[in-house]
Amino acid sequence: MSKVEQLHVKTQSHVQAAKKRKQKDTLAIIGFVAPAFIIYGIYVIYSIFMTFYYSMFDWTGIDSNMTFLGLGNYLTLLQDDVFWTSIKNNFILVIASLFTQLPIGLIMALLLFSPVKGMRLFRSVYFMPFLMSTVAIGILFIFIYEGNYGLLNAILGAVGLESLQNAWIGKESTAIWAVIATVSWQFAPFYMILFRATIVGIPEELYEAANIDGATGWQRFKNITLPLLMPIIVTSAILSVIGSLKYFDLIYVMTGGGPNNSTELMATYMYKQTFTNFSMGYGSSISFSMFIIAFIVTLFILLGDKKRKGTD
């Protein structure tokens, strides 16, 4: 066998060995990913398809009598004033969450880096609202907002602002804002942790170079901290939007969607239709509409971020 033929054989053996290693790596990856993908497929993908399937029927969710309606539930939904009210309230919650939870979380994260004694204690205090049970928070703020003996009205009376006292969750004009304030109080610490973890990872050399150039604190934040925080800000915005569009538990505990549907959200309305009125088909149409709306809004955020990166 000539040297050329020997070299060719060796090359072929190396290629085959590389293919076998690649196949083994592929099988290992599939083995690790498969359990998670199966669980995701069953509890997410399958559930989405079944939700859409059930939304095409008139079904109580209990008996076996299912009447096919096609898109009838969706046509009814378009004429449902309560559903449109719930969408409006959801988007109010989305906007309020974006402009309260994220900025407050960022401010708290920045405060943790200030040269003030006791920051470790404040870090624990700041994060405590997120660790509390949502039901406990709801009950706590019911007593705070209570019109007759609530803590908020007592404080307003103590400082001479009796004219501002109100039945905060008992009036249509104030209930949604009282609930939004509670939601922001609960979730701002979550974004604080995300922002703080990102700030910790910013190289200190960048700030040292900025100090040498005579940059002020605002200039360091504007030109170093904020640009490097943009990826986590976009991620936080997506989490906030999706969380606000499917929010349920605190509203259900505090107001149940009242008074007069003034705090009704899509999730609370879906729950009422499905488990109170036993209209599984109609409730499924609300649920699938929530998914579509959340998907479209998230897509717009991602496209906007992609456009921003392109312009950068």
Side-chain angles (χ1 to χ4, degrees):
M1 183 181 294
S2 64
K3 290 183 178 181
V4 175
E5 292 175 339
Q6 291 177 357
L7 181 61
H8 179 72
V9 171
K10 288 182 179 180
T11 303
Q12 290 296 325
S13 63
H14 284 304
V15 171
Q16 291 178 356
K19 287 183 178 179
K20 288 182 179 179
R21 285 196 301 269
K22 188 176 181 180
Q23 290 175 352
K24 288 182 179 179
D25 292 341
T26 303
L27 290 174
I29 293 172
I30 293 175
F32 283 113
V33 173
F37 184 78
I38 291 172
I39 293 174
Y40 182 81
I42 293 174
Y43 290 100
V44 178
I45 304 299
Y46 176 75
S47 298
I48 292 173
F49 280 106
M50 290 307 297
T51 298
F52 178 69
Y53 173 76
Y54 290 140
S55 70
M56 294 188 293
F57 291 88
D58 179 15
W59 182 40
T60 63
I62 299 175
D63 56 34
S64 58
N65 297 322
M66 300 174 66
T67 304
F68 182 74
L69 300 177
L71 299 178
N73 283 325
Y74 293 96
L75 295 176
T76 304
L77 205 61
L78 293 175
Q79 302 173 5
D80 191 337
D81 293 335
V82 179
F83 176 69
W84 288 109
T85 300
S86 69
I87 290 180
K88 181 194 74 173
N89 291 336
N90 263 117
F91 276 97
I92 291 174
L93 180 59
V94 166
I95 300 301
S97 298
L98 288 174
F99 288 96
T100 57
Q101 295 175 25
L102 270 64
I104 292 173
L106 180 57
I107 291 171
M108 290 194 298
L110 294 172
L111 286 175
L112 293 179
F113 291 93
S114 60
V116 179
K117 293 183 178 180
M119 275 298 109
R120 184 174 298 178
L121 173 63
F122 284 120
R123 188 184 310 165
S124 302
V125 172
Y126 288 161
F127 194 60
M128 192 171 295
F130 188 69
L131 298 177
M132 293 177 63
S133 164
T134 301
V135 175
I137 291 174
I139 295 173
L140 172 65
F141 275 86
I142 286 175
F143 286 106
I144 291 176
Y145 290 137
E146 210 283 326
N148 295 320
Y149 53 84
L151 179 62
L152 181 55
N153 280 344
I155 293 174
L156 291 174
V159 297
L161 297 175
E162 291 87 352
S163 59
L164 297 179
Q165 291 179 338
N166 218 322
W168 299 100
I169 56 176
K171 290 180 61 176
E172 296 179 30
S173 59
T174 58
I176 186 66
W177 303 110
V179 171
I180 286 174
T182 307
V183 174
S184 299
W185 179 82
Q186 180 186 13
F187 284 99
F190 171 72
Y191 299 106
M192 175 198 71
I193 294 298
L194 294 181
F195 293 140
R196 182 185 178 278
T198 305
I199 294 173
V200 168
I202 298 176
E204 191 64 30
E205 293 81 5
L206 296 177
Y207 293 108
E208 293 175 356
N211 289 331
I212 294 173
D213 291 337
T216 63
W218 167 249
Q219 289 173 331
R220 291 195 300 271
F221 173 76
K222 178 183 176 182
N223 298 311
I224 299 176
T225 307
L226 189 59
L228 294 176
L229 279 176
M230 283 309 298
I232 195 64
I233 289 175
V234 173
T235 301
S236 299
I238 293 173
L239 292 174
S240 179
V241 168
I242 295 176
S244 299
L245 288 175
K246 65 184 184 65
Y247 202 72
F248 169 78
D249 42 5
L250 190 66
I251 299 287
Y252 187 77
V253 172
M254 291 185 66
T255 65
N260 194 26
N261 301 316
S262 60
T263 61
E264 196 77 80
L265 301 181
M266 287 186 286
T268 57
Y269 191 48
M270 178 270 294
Y271 178 86
K272 290 178 181 177
Q273 291 295 330
T274 305
F275 300 106
T276 303
N277 297 340
F278 294 103
S279 181
M280 177 66 75
Y282 195 59
S284 296
S285 66
I286 299 172
S287 181
F288 192 75
S289 300
M290 289 170 55
F291 166 73
I292 295 298
I293 292 172
F295 179 80
I296 293 173
V297 172
T298 303
L299 188 63
F300 272 110
I301 294 175
L302 291 175
L303 291 175
D305 183 55
K306 185 177 181 180
K307 185 178 180 180
R308 179 190 64 82
K309 290 179 180 177
T311 55
D312 292 344

